[in-house]
Amino acid sequence: MSDIIDEVISSFRTSSIFVNREYLMPDYIPDELPHREDQIRKIASILAPLYREEKPNNIFIYGLTGTGKTAVVKFVLSRFHKKFLGKFKYIYINTRQIDTPYRVLADLLESLDVKVPFTGLSIAELYRRLVKAIREYDSQVVIVLDEIDAFVKRYNDDILYKLSRINSEVNRSKVSFIGITNDVKFVDLLDPRVKSSLSEEEIVFPPYNAEELEDILTKRAQMAFRPGVLPDNVIRLCAALAAREHGDARRALDLLRVAGEIAERLKDSKVKEEYVHLAKEEIERDRVRDIILTLPFHSKLVLTAVASMSSEDNVVLTTGAVYETYLNICKKLGVEPITQRRVSDIINELDMVGILTAKVVNRGRYGKTKEIGLAVDKNIIVKSLIESDSRFADLWG
Ligand SMILES: Nc1ncnc2c1ncn2[C@@H]1O[C@H](COP(=O)(O)OP(=O)(O)O)[C@@H](O)[C@H]1O
Ligand SMILES: [Mg+2]
């Protein structure tokens, strides 16, 4: 048995493609972040007062996914931390992962070395303890709240409001915030007081273009791949494909990494362009699967309805027709249906996440109607639905 393990490990170790795949992983923060010099300089100059142990202004950072927001903020803070040892503490919280008000406050407390139980305290009590902990803490604290849009949409901005007032409850201003959002329109959702307090400084991260992505990939690839296995045209293709998807560096890195993994799997000595196309399909499949697995039950039923109708040629699917099919499915499964209005909302949500297309068309005197279709391969959808809930298997017979 141990022979098999040794064999796997040694073939992994002696990868003919990668020196170290880790350098292409999304969490790895490189020493160089090309094309983000302006943002790095700006954030560093806002945070510079930490050197004199004074409170920097709060910063709000906007930009689409994969524009380097998380990487740049972590990069600047960790550099500062090394240089100004002991002059400040920084706490990073991704509020899409630490996703309840209780957990956010508990996490902040733990980072300040205050132990709290897993559950059971009130939010007000946690907040009281946080104020106390900060009052007793003898240096500046920088709190990074990443992907804050997801959190506020799920709850509301109460906790941001409370946190933004924390300085007025301690003896001297000690806490500064860096809020990061992928949703550019997000601030409109915030209470104006929260907005003005948290966005003393605003920084925008524009999408990368194809040439910028090429530079980024080239630097990361030099560390990750063995010399000579990665032709330039492969990097260029990954950059071009990701540039089409709003200049997402994460997507570009994923394409490159998965293309390399495919070369490795096929025991090829070089990464080829066709592997990038295969990588794109693989990534797309995983993305769709992840979305479908976490959909609420009725969204899955609506998706089933659309998918089952999409097999008929040339049918134009309207909300009404989808609703009819949806009602039939509910009957078959013996579940209580929801209203057509809600189903219509679900269709829009599935359009937003890119699984369905719902296009509003004007049909003259018949008024406006929605034309609905699948945005991704039907087989992927059906497979994922069945994987997520065995009841769907029966529907496809
Ligand atoms: N300028 C850059 N140079 C090198 N890598 C980058 C750069 N910008 C982004 N990346 C990498 O791309 C991925 C996505 O970046 P990230 O900071 O997570 O984006 P965001 O937080 O804006 O969604 C990460 O792996 C990050 O290291
Ligand atoms: Mg991020």
Side-chain angles (χ1 to χ4, degrees), residues 208-242:
Y208 295 113
N209 63 33
E211 287 92 67
E212 291 171 337
L213 289 172
E214 225 178 295
D215 289 341
I216 291 170
L217 289 184
T218 304
K219 286 251 160 61
R220 304 259 309 236
Q222 278 164 0
M223 304 189 292
F225 286 92
R226 289 196 179 282
V229 303
L230 188 69
D232 287 346
N233 59 343
V234 169
I235 291 192
R236 210 168 303 130
L237 179 60
C238 293
L241 291 174

Side-chain angles (χ1 to χ4, degrees), residues 93-161:
I93 297 185
N94 183 315
T95 60
R96 206 152 57 103
Q97 285 150 8
I98 311 289
D99 65 347
T100 65
Y102 192 101
R103 289 191 60 205
V104 168
L105 290 170
D107 225 64
L108 288 170
L109 280 160
E110 302 238 320
S111 303
L112 294 165
D113 302 323
V114 180
K115 289 261 169 293
V116 284
F118 239 43
T119 53
L121 297 177
S122 70
I123 297 294
E125 175 58 24
L126 285 172
Y127 184 70
R128 243 190 319 277
R129 292 189 192 183
L130 183 63
V131 170
K132 178 166 177 281
I134 286 175
R135 194 176 287 144
E136 286 165 7
Y137 201 77
D138 59 6
S139 64
Q140 292 284 322
V141 180
V142 179
I143 298 176
V144 182
L145 299 170
D146 202 352
E147 307 205 48
I148 190 71
D149 44 329
F151 186 88
V152 169
K153 279 179 201 156
R154 188 143 165 214
Y155 299 95
N156 47 45
D157 57 7
D158 278 1
I159 198 179
L160 287 186
Y161 179 68

Side-chain angles (χ1 to χ4, degrees), residues 275-331:
Y275 302 159
V276 177
H277 294 291
L278 291 174
K280 184 165 184 276
E281 279 169 32
E282 205 171 296
I283 292 166
E284 179 71 6
R285 196 162 55 230
D286 290 347
R287 190 186 72 88
V288 169
R289 185 175 165 272
D290 287 348
I291 292 173
I292 290 177
L293 289 184
T294 58
L295 283 178
F297 185 57
H298 282 272
S299 304
K300 288 179 190 165
L301 294 178
V302 172
L303 187 57
T304 306
V306 177
S308 71
M309 297 164 86
S310 302
S311 50
E312 297 155 40
D313 279 344
N314 297 326
V315 282
V316 175
L317 304 182
T318 59
T319 310
V322 171
Y323 192 62
E324 285 294 310
T325 308
Y326 161 81
L327 289 177
N328 275 329
I329 294 172
C330 286
K331 211 167 172 189

Side-chain angles (χ1 to χ4, degrees), residues 26 28 30 33-34 64-71 208 216 220 249-250 253:
Y28 175 75
L33 293 158
L64 297 173
T65 48
T67 52
K69 303 179 298 297
T70 302
Y208 295 113
I216 291 170
R220 304 259 309 236
R250 179 178 300 116
L253 284 162

Side-chain angles (χ1 to χ4, degrees), residues 23-37 40 61-74 92 94 146-147 180-182 205 208 212-213 215-217 219-220 247-254:
Y23 293 128
L24 298 174
M25 294 307 238
D27 295 342
Y28 175 75
I29 312 276
D31 285 335
E32 263 181 289
L33 293 158
H35 304 293
R36 282 298 176 244
E37 292 80 6
I40 291 173
I61 295 177
Y62 312 82
L64 297 173
T65 48
T67 52
K69 303 179 298 297
T70 302
V72 164
V73 166
K74 284 187 171 171
Y92 171 91
N94 183 315
D146 202 352
E147 307 205 48
I180 306 179
T181 163
N182 291 330
F205 279 55
Y208 295 113
E212 291 171 337
L213 289 172
D215 289 341
I216 291 170
L217 289 184
K219 286 251 160 61
R220 304 259 309 236
D248 183 339
R250 179 178 300 116
R251 177 51 68 93
L253 284 162
D254 283 348

